[in-house]
Amino acid sequence: MLNFLFSDFMHEFSIALEIVDTLEENGYLDGVNKVNSVRLNIGKYSGIDRNYLDFAFQNLDDDRFKGVLLEFVLNDSDEIRIEEIMVD
Amino acid sequence: MFNSNRINKRIKAGSPGRSGGRSGRALMVQRNAMESNEVIAQKNKALFGRAFVMNFLSSPGSGKTSLLESIAPVLKSEGFKTAVIEGDVETDLDKKRIDGLGIPAYQIITNGTCHLDAKMVNFSLDNLDIKDTDVIFIENVGNLVCPTSFNLGEDMKAVVFSVTEGDDKPLKYPAAFYKSEVMVINKIDLLPALDSDIAKIKENALSINNGLIIFETSCKKKSDCGGAVDEGIAGLVSFIKEKIKLKKNEYLRSR
């Protein structure tokens, strides 16, 4: 049962990790204790399920993202863009 | 072989609580969320050099490996140096099939991850001799959702679709058809036994991406002398040869 659940969400876990890596590698998380929200612009051809992505963030082993609120703006592309983050 | 446990190690055990909200300091980011993968994909593109690289996406069981077994020997017999990167959740069974053709292959085992990413392919390039290679085929993990999000540095994505999958598949999984330049409708030898409507499959796929170049193939018809017997396979091989030539010219011009 756990395997079934995990494979269902695997795509969104990968995307969540890419988002964290992109923020990390570009210095947005330097000195940040907590990320309160992340605003994402998501294309309808990106293959992302918003609920699954939210679930993925809630289960990352990274305390900075504990309880993070995801906000979504939708578009007709295949892109996933990080627009803004709110941090402490 | 490459074994990936990257994702599994970063997922927390136990259930979370939610405490975030729109408070704190705002940081404008305005970046591609896949940038981390994209940086490595561009490195891969440089490493591929003059080789034309095709990334095959499909559901499990659509016949990607059989298609490679039909295409690659024809290209090899015509003097094109070919290499294959295989992606699977488990086993190196597909690599062994490609090995059997005398074509260099590298197996990525993702250990549960549902797609290949640029980092995995980058690692494979340290272990696969692609010097002077004309064409590299990447067989992604069988999945029509996740692989569409990850650029591997390829020149082109191709979605392989078998006639057993249902005419409405392109509508249900639009991202794979939207992001591919080529659609291969495979296993057409099974059509007499099915209710599949090939015209409807094409109509549905073209409603997502009207630029798709479509080939209808059967991997059942084999040739003893190396050439392709199936008309669709022959058409796909001709298309790939043309792309190899264009990529080589483009590469030489850029140097």
PDB file of all heavy atoms in Angstrom, chain B residues 130-157:
ATOM      1  N   ILE B 130      30.733   7.757 -26.033  1.00  0.00           N
ATOM      2  CA  ILE B 130      29.898   8.347 -27.097  1.00  0.00           C
ATOM      3  C   ILE B 130      30.749   9.144 -28.092  1.00  0.00           C
ATOM      4  O   ILE B 130      30.212   9.896 -28.900  1.00  0.00           O
ATOM      5  CB  ILE B 130      28.776   9.237 -26.515  1.00  0.00           C
ATOM      6  CG1 ILE B 130      29.361  10.358 -25.634  1.00  0.00           C
ATOM      7  CG2 ILE B 130      27.759   8.412 -25.756  1.00  0.00           C
ATOM      8  CD1 ILE B 130      28.358  11.465 -25.359  1.00  0.00           C
ATOM      9  N   LYS B 131      32.057   8.960 -28.015  1.00  0.00           N
ATOM     10  CA  LYS B 131      32.944   9.677 -28.949  1.00  0.00           C
ATOM     11  C   LYS B 131      32.588   9.283 -30.394  1.00  0.00           C
ATOM     12  O   LYS B 131      32.453   8.113 -30.700  1.00  0.00           O
ATOM     13  CB  LYS B 131      34.399   9.311 -28.639  1.00  0.00           C
ATOM     14  CG  LYS B 131      35.425  10.149 -29.369  1.00  0.00           C
ATOM     15  CD  LYS B 131      36.824   9.865 -28.842  1.00  0.00           C
ATOM     16  CE  LYS B 131      37.880  10.680 -29.552  1.00  0.00           C
ATOM     17  NZ  LYS B 131      38.058  10.313 -30.949  1.00  0.00           N
ATOM     18  N   ASP B 132      32.419  10.301 -31.230  1.00  0.00           N
ATOM     19  CA  ASP B 132      32.089  10.100 -32.650  1.00  0.00           C
ATOM     20  C   ASP B 132      30.747   9.397 -32.872  1.00  0.00           C
ATOM     21  O   ASP B 132      30.506   8.845 -33.948  1.00  0.00           O
ATOM     22  CB  ASP B 132      33.196   9.312 -33.373  1.00  0.00           C
ATOM     23  CG  ASP B 132      34.532  10.045 -33.325  1.00  0.00           C
ATOM     24  OD1 ASP B 132      34.515  11.292 -33.356  1.00  0.00           O
ATOM     25  OD2 ASP B 132      35.581   9.374 -33.221  1.00  0.00           O
ATOM     26  N   THR B 133      29.911   9.385 -31.862  1.00  0.00           N
ATOM     27  CA  THR B 133      28.595   8.753 -32.024  1.00  0.00           C
ATOM     28  C   THR B 133      27.680   9.655 -32.856  1.00  0.00           C
ATOM     29  O   THR B 133      27.681  10.872 -32.691  1.00  0.00           O
ATOM     30  CB  THR B 133      27.980   8.468 -30.633  1.00  0.00           C
ATOM     31  OG1 THR B 133      28.815   7.526 -29.968  1.00  0.00           O
ATOM     32  CG2 THR B 133      26.585   7.891 -30.733  1.00  0.00           C
ATOM     33  N   ASP B 134      26.923   9.042 -33.745  1.00  0.00           N
ATOM     34  CA  ASP B 134      26.004   9.791 -34.612  1.00  0.00           C
ATOM     35  C   ASP B 134      24.640   9.988 -33.968  1.00  0.00           C
ATOM     36  O   ASP B 134      23.994  11.013 -34.172  1.00  0.00           O
ATOM     37  CB  ASP B 134      25.813   9.047 -35.940  1.00  0.00           C
ATOM     38  CG  ASP B 134      27.113   8.929 -36.710  1.00  0.00           C
ATOM     39  OD1 ASP B 134      27.679   9.988 -37.045  1.00  0.00           O
ATOM     40  OD2 ASP B 134      27.570   7.794 -36.960  1.00  0.00           O
ATOM     41  N   VAL B 135      24.207   8.976 -33.232  1.00  0.00           N
ATOM     42  CA  VAL B 135      22.856   9.067 -32.658  1.00  0.00           C
ATOM     43  C   VAL B 135      22.810   8.350 -31.311  1.00  0.00           C
ATOM     44  O   VAL B 135      23.393   7.275 -31.151  1.00  0.00           O
ATOM     45  CB  VAL B 135      21.787   8.495 -33.644  1.00  0.00           C
ATOM     46  CG1 VAL B 135      22.068   7.054 -34.008  1.00  0.00           C
ATOM     47  CG2 VAL B 135      20.375   8.637 -33.093  1.00  0.00           C
ATOM     48  N   ILE B 136      22.168   9.002 -30.347  1.00  0.00           N
ATOM     49  CA  ILE B 136      21.990   8.399 -29.021  1.00  0.00           C
ATOM     50  C   ILE B 136      20.484   8.318 -28.751  1.00  0.00           C
ATOM     51  O   ILE B 136      19.777   9.323 -28.858  1.00  0.00           O
ATOM     52  CB  ILE B 136      22.670   9.237 -27.916  1.00  0.00           C
ATOM     53  CG1 ILE B 136      24.178   9.357 -28.199  1.00  0.00           C
ATOM     54  CG2 ILE B 136      22.420   8.621 -26.531  1.00  0.00           C
ATOM     55  CD1 ILE B 136      24.896  10.370 -27.314  1.00  0.00           C
ATOM     56  N   PHE B 137      20.031   7.121 -28.434  1.00  0.00           N
ATOM     57  CA  PHE B 137      18.633   6.946 -28.043  1.00  0.00           C
ATOM     58  C   PHE B 137      18.566   6.822 -26.525  1.00  0.00           C
ATOM     59  O   PHE B 137      19.312   6.048 -25.929  1.00  0.00           O
ATOM     60  CB  PHE B 137      18.038   5.682 -28.676  1.00  0.00           C
ATOM     61  CG  PHE B 137      17.997   5.728 -30.176  1.00  0.00           C
ATOM     62  CD1 PHE B 137      18.765   4.865 -30.947  1.00  0.00           C
ATOM     63  CD2 PHE B 137      17.192   6.649 -30.827  1.00  0.00           C
ATOM     64  CE1 PHE B 137      18.729   4.903 -32.329  1.00  0.00           C
ATOM     65  CE2 PHE B 137      17.146   6.707 -32.216  1.00  0.00           C
ATOM     66  CZ  PHE B 137      17.924   5.827 -32.967  1.00  0.00           C
ATOM     67  N   ILE B 138      17.681   7.609 -25.923  1.00  0.00           N
ATOM     68  CA  ILE B 138      17.438   7.475 -24.483  1.00  0.00           C
ATOM     69  C   ILE B 138      16.054   6.854 -24.334  1.00  0.00           C
ATOM     70  O   ILE B 138      15.061   7.409 -24.814  1.00  0.00           O
ATOM     71  CB  ILE B 138      17.475   8.843 -23.765  1.00  0.00           C
ATOM     72  CG1 ILE B 138      18.832   9.530 -23.984  1.00  0.00           C
ATOM     73  CG2 ILE B 138      17.197   8.666 -22.271  1.00  0.00           C
ATOM     74  CD1 ILE B 138      18.906  10.948 -23.428  1.00  0.00           C
ATOM     75  N   GLU B 139      16.014   5.698 -23.695  1.00  0.00           N
ATOM     76  CA  GLU B 139      14.713   5.070 -23.431  1.00  0.00           C
ATOM     77  C   GLU B 139      14.339   5.417 -21.994  1.00  0.00           C
ATOM     78  O   GLU B 139      14.903   4.887 -21.043  1.00  0.00           O
ATOM     79  CB  GLU B 139      14.787   3.548 -23.626  1.00  0.00           C
ATOM     80  CG  GLU B 139      13.413   2.923 -23.427  1.00  0.00           C
ATOM     81  CD  GLU B 139      13.400   1.407 -23.557  1.00  0.00           C
ATOM     82  OE1 GLU B 139      14.302   0.835 -24.176  1.00  0.00           O
ATOM     83  OE2 GLU B 139      12.456   0.804 -23.012  1.00  0.00           O
ATOM     84  N   ASN B 140      13.395   6.337 -21.851  1.00  0.00           N
ATOM     85  CA  ASN B 140      13.017   6.802 -20.519  1.00  0.00           C
ATOM     86  C   ASN B 140      12.232   5.718 -19.771  1.00  0.00           C
ATOM     87  O   ASN B 140      11.799   4.724 -20.358  1.00  0.00           O
ATOM     88  CB  ASN B 140      12.182   8.084 -20.638  1.00  0.00           C
ATOM     89  CG  ASN B 140      12.505   9.082 -19.557  1.00  0.00           C
ATOM     90  OD1 ASN B 140      12.507   8.735 -18.384  1.00  0.00           O
ATOM     91  ND2 ASN B 140      12.786  10.319 -19.940  1.00  0.00           N
ATOM     92  N   VAL B 141      12.033   5.927 -18.499  1.00  0.00           N
ATOM     93  CA  VAL B 141      11.221   5.021 -17.686  1.00  0.00           C
ATOM     94  C   VAL B 141       9.786   5.027 -18.242  1.00  0.00           C
ATOM     95  O   VAL B 141       9.280   6.073 -18.640  1.00  0.00           O
ATOM     96  CB  VAL B 141      11.214   5.488 -16.211  1.00  0.00           C
ATOM     97  CG1 VAL B 141      10.325   4.610 -15.350  1.00  0.00           C
ATOM     98  CG2 VAL B 141      12.630   5.520 -15.666  1.00  0.00           C
ATOM     99  N   GLY B 142       9.165   3.874 -18.288  1.00  0.00           N
ATOM    100  CA  GLY B 142       7.804   3.786 -18.822  1.00  0.00           C
ATOM    101  C   GLY B 142       6.811   4.546 -17.959  1.00  0.00           C
ATOM    102  O   GLY B 142       6.466   4.116 -16.859  1.00  0.00           O
ATOM    103  N   ASN B 143       6.398   5.706 -18.447  1.00  0.00           N
ATOM    104  CA  ASN B 143       5.529   6.600 -17.669  1.00  0.00           C
ATOM    105  C   ASN B 143       5.202   7.781 -18.579  1.00  0.00           C
ATOM    106  O   ASN B 143       6.117   8.368 -19.168  1.00  0.00           O
ATOM    107  CB  ASN B 143       6.312   7.064 -16.430  1.00  0.00           C
ATOM    108  CG  ASN B 143       5.512   7.960 -15.512  1.00  0.00           C
ATOM    109  OD1 ASN B 143       4.686   8.750 -15.948  1.00  0.00           O
ATOM    110  ND2 ASN B 143       5.763   7.849 -14.221  1.00  0.00           N
ATOM    111  N   LEU B 144       3.939   8.140 -18.686  1.00  0.00           N
ATOM    112  CA  LEU B 144       3.585   9.229 -19.607  1.00  0.00           C
ATOM    113  C   LEU B 144       3.481  10.589 -18.918  1.00  0.00           C
ATOM    114  O   LEU B 144       3.158  11.579 -19.560  1.00  0.00           O
ATOM    115  CB  LEU B 144       2.258   8.917 -20.308  1.00  0.00           C
ATOM    116  CG  LEU B 144       2.343   8.123 -21.611  1.00  0.00           C
ATOM    117  CD1 LEU B 144       0.965   7.962 -22.215  1.00  0.00           C
ATOM    118  CD2 LEU B 144       3.284   8.771 -22.612  1.00  0.00           C
ATOM    119  N   VAL B 145       3.726  10.638 -17.609  1.00  0.00           N
ATOM    120  CA  VAL B 145       3.588  11.910 -16.892  1.00  0.00           C
ATOM    121  C   VAL B 145       4.962  12.487 -16.522  1.00  0.00           C
ATOM    122  O   VAL B 145       5.391  13.506 -17.058  1.00  0.00           O
ATOM    123  CB  VAL B 145       2.720  11.745 -15.624  1.00  0.00           C
ATOM    124  CG1 VAL B 145       2.554  13.081 -14.904  1.00  0.00           C
ATOM    125  CG2 VAL B 145       1.355  11.187 -15.977  1.00  0.00           C
ATOM    126  N   CYS B 146       5.643  11.807 -15.620  1.00  0.00           N
ATOM    127  CA  CYS B 146       6.854  12.375 -14.992  1.00  0.00           C
ATOM    128  C   CYS B 146       7.981  12.693 -15.976  1.00  0.00           C
ATOM    129  O   CYS B 146       8.592  13.762 -15.869  1.00  0.00           O
ATOM    130  CB  CYS B 146       7.348  11.449 -13.904  1.00  0.00           C
ATOM    131  SG  CYS B 146       6.019  10.860 -12.845  1.00  0.00           S
ATOM    132  N   PRO B 147       8.303  11.806 -16.916  1.00  0.00           N
ATOM    133  CA  PRO B 147       9.451  12.107 -17.794  1.00  0.00           C
ATOM    134  C   PRO B 147       9.274  13.381 -18.620  1.00  0.00           C
ATOM    135  O   PRO B 147      10.262  13.947 -19.092  1.00  0.00           O
ATOM    136  CB  PRO B 147       9.537  10.878 -18.705  1.00  0.00           C
ATOM    137  CG  PRO B 147       8.919   9.779 -17.911  1.00  0.00           C
ATOM    138  CD  PRO B 147       7.795  10.450 -17.178  1.00  0.00           C
ATOM    139  N   THR B 148       8.037  13.837 -18.764  1.00  0.00           N
ATOM    140  CA  THR B 148       7.823  15.033 -19.590  1.00  0.00           C
ATOM    141  C   THR B 148       8.390  16.292 -18.937  1.00  0.00           C
ATOM    142  O   THR B 148       8.668  17.271 -19.609  1.00  0.00           O
ATOM    143  CB  THR B 148       6.317  15.271 -19.855  1.00  0.00           C
ATOM    144  OG1 THR B 148       5.670  15.551 -18.612  1.00  0.00           O
ATOM    145  CG2 THR B 148       5.667  14.058 -20.490  1.00  0.00           C
ATOM    146  N   SER B 149       8.562  16.274 -17.623  1.00  0.00           N
ATOM    147  CA  SER B 149       9.008  17.482 -16.915  1.00  0.00           C
ATOM    148  C   SER B 149      10.517  17.664 -16.925  1.00  0.00           C
ATOM    149  O   SER B 149      11.004  18.731 -16.573  1.00  0.00           O
ATOM    150  CB  SER B 149       8.546  17.435 -15.451  1.00  0.00           C
ATOM    151  OG  SER B 149       7.152  17.456 -15.377  1.00  0.00           O
ATOM    152  N   PHE B 150      11.265  16.616 -17.289  1.00  0.00           N
ATOM    153  CA  PHE B 150      12.715  16.661 -17.113  1.00  0.00           C
ATOM    154  C   PHE B 150      13.447  16.661 -18.452  1.00  0.00           C
ATOM    155  O   PHE B 150      13.469  15.651 -19.156  1.00  0.00           O
ATOM    156  CB  PHE B 150      13.178  15.481 -16.250  1.00  0.00           C
ATOM    157  CG  PHE B 150      12.706  15.597 -14.830  1.00  0.00           C
ATOM    158  CD1 PHE B 150      11.433  15.184 -14.469  1.00  0.00           C
ATOM    159  CD2 PHE B 150      13.508  16.177 -13.863  1.00  0.00           C
ATOM    160  CE1 PHE B 150      10.977  15.322 -13.170  1.00  0.00           C
ATOM    161  CE2 PHE B 150      13.063  16.320 -12.558  1.00  0.00           C
ATOM    162  CZ  PHE B 150      11.794  15.902 -12.213  1.00  0.00           C
ATOM    163  N   ASN B 151      14.038  17.806 -18.776  1.00  0.00           N
ATOM    164  CA  ASN B 151      14.901  17.907 -19.950  1.00  0.00           C
ATOM    165  C   ASN B 151      16.185  17.146 -19.651  1.00  0.00           C
ATOM    166  O   ASN B 151      16.797  17.348 -18.600  1.00  0.00           O
ATOM    167  CB  ASN B 151      15.193  19.386 -20.227  1.00  0.00           C
ATOM    168  CG  ASN B 151      16.071  19.592 -21.441  1.00  0.00           C
ATOM    169  OD1 ASN B 151      16.363  18.657 -22.183  1.00  0.00           O
ATOM    170  ND2 ASN B 151      16.507  20.822 -21.642  1.00  0.00           N
ATOM    171  N   LEU B 152      16.585  16.280 -20.558  1.00  0.00           N
ATOM    172  CA  LEU B 152      17.813  15.498 -20.354  1.00  0.00           C
ATOM    173  C   LEU B 152      18.955  16.033 -21.207  1.00  0.00           C
ATOM    174  O   LEU B 152      20.058  15.511 -21.165  1.00  0.00           O
ATOM    175  CB  LEU B 152      17.554  14.024 -20.694  1.00  0.00           C
ATOM    176  CG  LEU B 152      16.350  13.371 -19.986  1.00  0.00           C
ATOM    177  CD1 LEU B 152      16.174  11.933 -20.453  1.00  0.00           C
ATOM    178  CD2 LEU B 152      16.508  13.429 -18.467  1.00  0.00           C
ATOM    179  N   GLY B 153      18.651  17.067 -22.003  1.00  0.00           N
ATOM    180  CA  GLY B 153      19.636  17.608 -22.934  1.00  0.00           C
ATOM    181  C   GLY B 153      19.438  17.066 -24.338  1.00  0.00           C
ATOM    182  O   GLY B 153      20.254  17.276 -25.227  1.00  0.00           O
ATOM    183  N   GLU B 154      18.328  16.353 -24.543  1.00  0.00           N
ATOM    184  CA  GLU B 154      18.060  15.726 -25.836  1.00  0.00           C
ATOM    185  C   GLU B 154      17.698  16.770 -26.898  1.00  0.00           C
ATOM    186  O   GLU B 154      17.348  17.900 -26.572  1.00  0.00           O
ATOM    187  CB  GLU B 154      16.899  14.731 -25.709  1.00  0.00           C
ATOM    188  CG  GLU B 154      15.515  15.352 -25.529  1.00  0.00           C
ATOM    189  CD  GLU B 154      15.135  15.617 -24.086  1.00  0.00           C
ATOM    190  OE1 GLU B 154      16.016  15.524 -23.210  1.00  0.00           O
ATOM    191  OE2 GLU B 154      13.961  15.931 -23.840  1.00  0.00           O
ATOM    192  N   ASP B 155      17.783  16.334 -28.159  1.00  0.00           N
ATOM    193  CA  ASP B 155      17.353  17.211 -29.256  1.00  0.00           C
ATOM    194  C   ASP B 155      15.854  17.110 -29.468  1.00  0.00           C
ATOM    195  O   ASP B 155      15.235  18.054 -29.960  1.00  0.00           O
ATOM    196  CB  ASP B 155      18.069  16.808 -30.559  1.00  0.00           C
ATOM    197  CG  ASP B 155      19.559  17.053 -30.461  1.00  0.00           C
ATOM    198  OD1 ASP B 155      19.936  18.226 -30.291  1.00  0.00           O
ATOM    199  OD2 ASP B 155      20.330  16.085 -30.507  1.00  0.00           O
ATOM    200  N   MET B 156      15.299  15.981 -29.100  1.00  0.00           N
ATOM    201  CA  MET B 156      13.893  15.761 -29.423  1.00  0.00           C
ATOM    202  C   MET B 156      13.288  14.699 -28.508  1.00  0.00           C
ATOM    203  O   MET B 156      13.948  13.716 -28.181  1.00  0.00           O
ATOM    204  CB  MET B 156      13.831  15.262 -30.875  1.00  0.00           C
ATOM    205  CG  MET B 156      12.472  14.983 -31.407  1.00  0.00           C
ATOM    206  SD  MET B 156      12.579  14.347 -33.097  1.00  0.00           S
ATOM    207  CE  MET B 156      13.143  15.791 -33.962  1.00  0.00           C
ATOM    208  N   LYS B 157      12.042  14.926 -28.124  1.00  0.00           N
ATOM    209  CA  LYS B 157      11.293  13.879 -27.426  1.00  0.00           C
ATOM    210  C   LYS B 157      10.411  13.172 -28.459  1.00  0.00           C
ATOM    211  O   LYS B 157       9.868  13.826 -29.363  1.00  0.00           O
ATOM    212  CB  LYS B 157      10.400  14.470 -26.331  1.00  0.00           C
ATOM    213  CG  LYS B 157      11.146  14.957 -25.096  1.00  0.00           C
ATOM    214  CD  LYS B 157      10.166  15.445 -24.037  1.00  0.00           C
ATOM    215  CE  LYS B 157      10.864  15.813 -22.738  1.00  0.00           C
ATOM    216  NZ  LYS B 157      11.809  16.942 -22.856  1.00  0.00           N
TER     217      LYS B 157
END
